[in-house]
Amino acid sequence: MKRIATTSLLPLALALSTLGLSACQSAVEPVGAVASCDSQCQQQRFSQLSQQLIDELWTLSPDWAVYAGNYQYAEQMVLPDASQRAAQLAFVSRWRAQLSSIDKAQLSSSLQTDFALIENTLDSMQWQQQRFKRWQWDPASYNVGGVIGRLLSEPWGSEEDKLKALLARMAKIPDYYAAARINLDNPTREHTELAILQNNGTLGLFSPELLERAKQSPLSDADKVNFEQRYLASRQAISSYVTHLEQRLAQMENEPAKSFRIGETLYEEKFALDIQAGMTAAELYQRALADKDYAQQQMLELTKQLWPKYFPDGPMPSDSKQAIRTLIDHLSVKHVARQDFVSEIEKQIPELTQFVNDQDLLTLDPTKPLLVRETPEYMRGFAGASISAPGPFDTGGNTYYNVTPLDKLSPEQAESYLREYNHWVLQILNIHEAIPGHYAQLVYSNNESSSLVKSLFGNGAMIEGWAVYAERMMLEAGYGEFEPELWLMYWKWNLRVVCNTILDYRMHVLNIDKAQGLDLLVNEAFQQQTEAEQKWRRATLSQVQLTSYYSGFREIYDLRDELRASQGEQFNLKQFHQQFLSYGSAPVKEVRKLML
Ligand code: ZN
Ligand code: ZN
């Protein structure tokens, strides 16, 4: 559930919405369809084309290159204006034409997947601009802070490289925000509030310390003078953008703003492009409703079973949801001491590896160990755990399991966090993040069928779905020896994923209000009020993304059932896992075609 902090997983939607025009467009050699081009020749041609496409995409969106860990484009910045949008559409049609010369059937399964991912990326670019039009209504899509923060904090280049990149970018910041104002036609209230918050955060990056840092740096005297001028102009541009947004927010008191709800048509379209599932959003919603009932039913059975053990003197409440909640609260007190949080996680990793090996669930590559470390300071946004995998430009780098120690939290915050990640949930978290979840999947994805296309355009629903699938699979294989307490906590955890899908769909398509949303999360999924409020807010600001965990899980689980039914005695779980992971981070529906 935690964000995977890896450079190989880009916020593609973000990247696409910030794509820009660059002065230099690499010319692409036209490729004619030659009848004599055989399979091998088609494969070569396609590999060459996809490399050219990516190179051109870097220049169209240098920000995206930086997010991918390619710092060659650090000094370039594009303005989000009409000519940029025209360049983006031209890119889409030019590349569609190029790809039409490829005979897809002649490609290997791995390249067919790449082909599908590229086609989807082109479709998304066009759709974002012409149908979704975030550039007109999301003021938070304009913020120079993300890339600049990254350039200043990530380990790349020298101090001079970093400041020179900033110097070049700052020259364009006033024009950048001027273009943003022109684009914004009908912003939503929620995204306007977010943009004010986030751009104020960016102002914080342009601090007196930054100016001092430049003055102390190896920059030339002339550059230092420029730096100060541009620094001041940048501050001015950002604060005036914030003021402008505050005024628009005030106007919204009189005339209602555009709704954050995107409605059924756009929701289905976005779902098809972002999730790439083998079903519609409406179908997934129906599956989620059934899974919610099933999880609640399982929780009730487990509560009946466990009640006498923990409450020998009191009868179970007749309200089943109240009984479940009471038991969960009671159990959550069992958790690791706050100072042992990181070391406990470190201790569990070899145990999980051992279990996967003993049960023969998956081959784990011992030459690519997972290193547990305290989250580096510059990555700490909130307490949590995440995986940092080496990006496509850092082959041979280590894979880290970042765990943030709880020493910065107040005693109350730490207690609440530890109850959330109690004795049982912490084990499920480690399965999800590490073994055999995200870490194992990323190792396979990087080794078995790695391609730049897959690491840049990989399918988020498959990646999250695998980690969610791993949780259930491990428990079904007997991890934790079928302890009822572990299963009870598992179902609560699983219910969160299921209800993310339900909430997102009901909010954007079925128009539920906040009270109805909170009722779902608190009363049906046993969440705390604060957690539920944060989830509601997140769902107002994103669309569809919250369904990715459950949709990926549902499709992987369905595919396994399908194969098990058709193969009968022949079905082998380990073989299923290895084959499934061998296709890289491809959409489950594409993997399904290749496996059936
Ligand atoms: Zn995850
Ligand atoms: Zn406690």
Side-chain angles (χ1 to χ4, degrees):
M1 321 296 153
K2 296 293 161 195
R3 172 182 54 95
I4 315 175
T6 158
T7 46
S8 65
L9 294 174
L10 296 172
L12 186 62
L14 169 84
L16 294 174
S17 66
T18 58
L19 277 173
L21 172 70
S22 155
C24 72
Q25 296 264 337
S26 58
V28 179
E29 292 297 317
V31 180
V34 181
S36 66
C37 186
D38 63 5
S39 175
Q40 204 194 343
C41 146
Q42 289 284 344
Q43 312 224 28
Q44 276 174 1
R45 179 182 285 174
F46 175 72
S47 300
Q48 196 191 346
L49 276 183
S50 53
Q51 184 57 56
Q52 283 179 334
L53 177 141
I54 289 167
D55 287 341
E56 202 184 317
L57 205 48
W58 296 139
T59 64
L60 202 58
S61 176
D63 283 6
W64 182 63
V66 170
Y67 278 118
N70 182 353
Y71 293 98
Q72 251 180 296
Y73 297 86
E75 293 193 7
Q76 292 179 31
M77 188 169 133
V78 293
L79 301 178
D81 58 13
S83 64
Q84 174 247 6
R85 289 191 292 279
Q88 207 178 318
L89 291 181
F91 174 92
V92 170
S93 37
R94 197 163 59 249
W95 280 101
R96 279 197 186 129
Q98 289 285 341
L99 289 174
S100 69
S101 71
I102 299 288
D103 180 2
K104 208 170 143 183
Q106 302 274 347
L107 301 178
S108 68
S109 60
S110 175
L111 290 183
Q112 281 187 29
T113 304
D114 285 9
F115 193 99
L117 289 172
I118 289 177
E119 276 187 320
N120 185 261
T121 301
L122 296 174
D123 292 347
S124 280
M125 285 171 73
Q126 182 174 8
W127 182 83
Q128 282 276 347
Q129 187 183 139
Q130 296 186 320
R131 296 273 306 152
F132 202 48
K133 302 182 183 175
R134 160 168 273 139
W135 56 278
Q136 291 182 344
W137 55 259
D138 181 3
S141 62
Y142 304 107
N143 188 340
V144 297
V147 174
I148 288 177
R150 215 178 162 93
L151 288 173
L152 288 172
S153 63
E154 288 280 324
W156 73 282
S158 65
E159 176 72 353
E160 198 179 352
D161 291 336
K162 291 182 175 192
L163 293 169
K164 281 210 156 147
L166 198 49
L167 186 63
R169 284 177 168 263
M170 284 193 302
K172 291 193 172 169
I173 287 178
D175 287 346
Y176 175 96
Y177 283 105
R181 288 192 202 193
I182 293 170
N183 291 345
L184 287 172
D185 175 35
N186 53 349
T188 75
R189 167 190 291 277
E190 291 72 15
H191 294 88
T192 304
E193 287 168 349
L194 180 68
I196 292 171
L197 188 79
Q198 292 185 335
N199 277 283
N200 271 326
T202 296
L203 266 184
L205 275 175
F206 289 86
S207 61
E209 289 77 28
L210 177 64
L211 190 56
E212 196 49 37
R213 181 170 161 182
K215 284 180 178 158
Q216 305 298 328
S217 74
L219 287 181
S220 72
D221 287 344
D223 276 349
K224 284 180 187 173
V225 171
N226 273 334
F227 195 98
E228 179 157 15
Q229 254 169 20
R230 290 179 192 176
Y231 161 92
L232 291 170
S234 297
R235 278 197 64 91
Q236 171 59 35
I238 301 164
S239 36
S240 99
Y241 182 60
V242 169
T243 309
H244 171 76
L245 294 178
E246 282 167 349
Q247 285 161 359
R248 296 191 80 147
L249 199 59
Q251 283 167 14
M252 289 175 196
E253 298 298 331
N254 307 322
E255 34 189 306
K258 176 185 170 69
S259 170
F260 62 82
R261 294 180 173 84
I262 67 173
E264 183 169 16
T265 307
L266 285 177
Y267 194 90
E268 285 289 358
E269 289 175 10
K270 192 167 199 288
F271 183 84
L273 289 165
D274 290 2
I275 304 295
Q276 304 178 65
M279 60 181 121
T280 64
E283 284 162 351
L284 185 73
Y285 174 65
Q286 291 302 326
R287 300 293 303 273
L289 291 179
D291 276 342
K292 173 173 77 69
D293 290 347
Y294 184 75
Q296 288 173 343
Q297 193 53 43
Q298 297 299 310
M299 291 175 89
L300 180 58
E301 294 305 318
L302 290 161
T303 301
K304 283 180 186 161
Q305 186 188 336
L306 287 169
W307 192 268
K309 177 175 168 188
Y310 290 98
F311 302 102
D313 303 325
M316 195 174 120
S318 56
D319 177 342
S320 61
K321 289 196 173 123
Q322 194 200 327
I324 294 169
R325 183 181 280 281
T326 305
L327 181 59
I328 287 174
D329 287 348
H330 186 80
L331 292 175
S332 300
V333 174
K334 183 171 172 182
H335 59 70
V336 69
R338 69 184 283 181
Q339 68 273 15
D340 299 335
F341 189 68
V342 179
S343 60
E344 173 62 25
I345 288 178
E346 201 161 9
K347 198 183 104 215
Q348 284 182 18
I349 301 304
E351 293 168 6
L352 290 168
T353 306
Q354 184 76 42
F355 184 85
V356 168
N357 289 336
D358 289 351
Q359 300 297 312
D360 213 19
L361 299 173
L362 187 68
T363 301
L364 298 168
D365 183 349
T367 67
K368 299 257 162 41
L370 177 64
L371 307 174
V372 179
R373 69 173 178 188
E374 293 193 0
T375 313
E377 286 290 345
Y378 74 87
M379 287 173 63
R380 289 187 196 181
F382 52 95
S386 64
I387 298 288
S388 287
F393 301 95
D394 182 24
T395 46
N398 289 320
T399 303
Y400 293 102
Y401 189 1
N402 306 307
V403 184
T404 307
L406 307 184
D407 44 16
K408 299 259 164 63
L409 302 181
S410 72
E412 294 75 26
Q413 287 171 326
E415 178 61 21
S416 146
Y417 189 79
L418 288 165
R419 285 188 186 194
E420 177 79 28
Y421 294 97
N422 59 52
H423 172 73
W424 295 279
V425 173
L426 191 57
Q427 299 174 58
I428 302 169
L429 175 75
N430 287 330
I431 292 172
H432 178 102
E433 295 293 338
I435 293 167
H438 287 313
Y439 154 74
Q441 192 266 323
L442 286 164
V443 171
Y444 269 81
S445 177
N446 289 342
N447 282 348
E448 300 273 327
S449 89
S450 66
S451 75
L452 197 51
V453 172
K454 287 191 191 70
S455 65
L456 296 176
F457 307 131
N459 180 256
M462 180 273 169
I463 291 167
E464 281 306 336
W466 171 262
V468 175
Y469 165 78
E471 301 161 7
R472 171 85 62 94
M473 183 274 287
M474 286 287 276
L475 265 64
E476 285 176 344
Y479 175 81
E481 294 168 341
F482 302 98
E483 186 190 18
E485 289 88 343
L486 180 62
W487 273 97
L488 179 70
M489 290 297 177
Y490 166 77
W491 287 116
K492 182 193 173 218
W493 181 260
N494 183 256
L495 209 44
R496 176 152 77 174
V497 163
V498 171
C499 286
N500 280 348
T501 293
I502 297 175
L503 177 75
D504 204 58
Y505 191 82
R506 285 186 180 167
M507 172 190 277
H508 286 288
V509 178
L510 304 179
N511 283 316
I512 59 163
D513 63 21
K514 186 171 176 183
Q516 292 168 310
L518 296 184
D519 178 63
L520 169 75
L521 301 179
V522 172
N523 298 323
E524 302 266 337
F526 310 100
Q527 295 181 9
Q528 300 298 326
Q529 189 72 21
T530 339
E531 186 192 358
E533 302 243 4
Q534 284 166 357
K535 187 57 62 64
W536 172 266
R537 178 164 182 267
R538 178 174 160 192
T540 63
L541 296 169
S542 68
Q543 316 78 23
V544 168
Q545 197 275 336
L546 276 173
T547 68
S548 61
Y549 308 86
Y550 173 70
S551 71
F553 160 76
R554 192 65 269 165
E555 286 198 285
I556 296 172
Y557 208 85
D558 287 353
L559 173 61
R560 190 183 79 175
D561 281 352
E562 202 175 339
L563 285 168
R564 191 175 256 159
S566 69
Q567 294 174 1
E569 299 272 296
Q570 302 294 310
F571 180 82
N572 177 291
L573 190 59
K574 182 183 192 173
Q575 204 191 325
F576 167 72
H577 292 153
Q578 316 238 115
Q579 198 187 343
F580 180 82
L581 292 179
S582 74
Y583 300 106
S585 307
V588 182
K589 71 170 179 189
E590 299 295 329
V591 177
R592 187 174 174 279
K593 277 188 230 159
L594 298 167
M595 281 184 83
L596 287 176

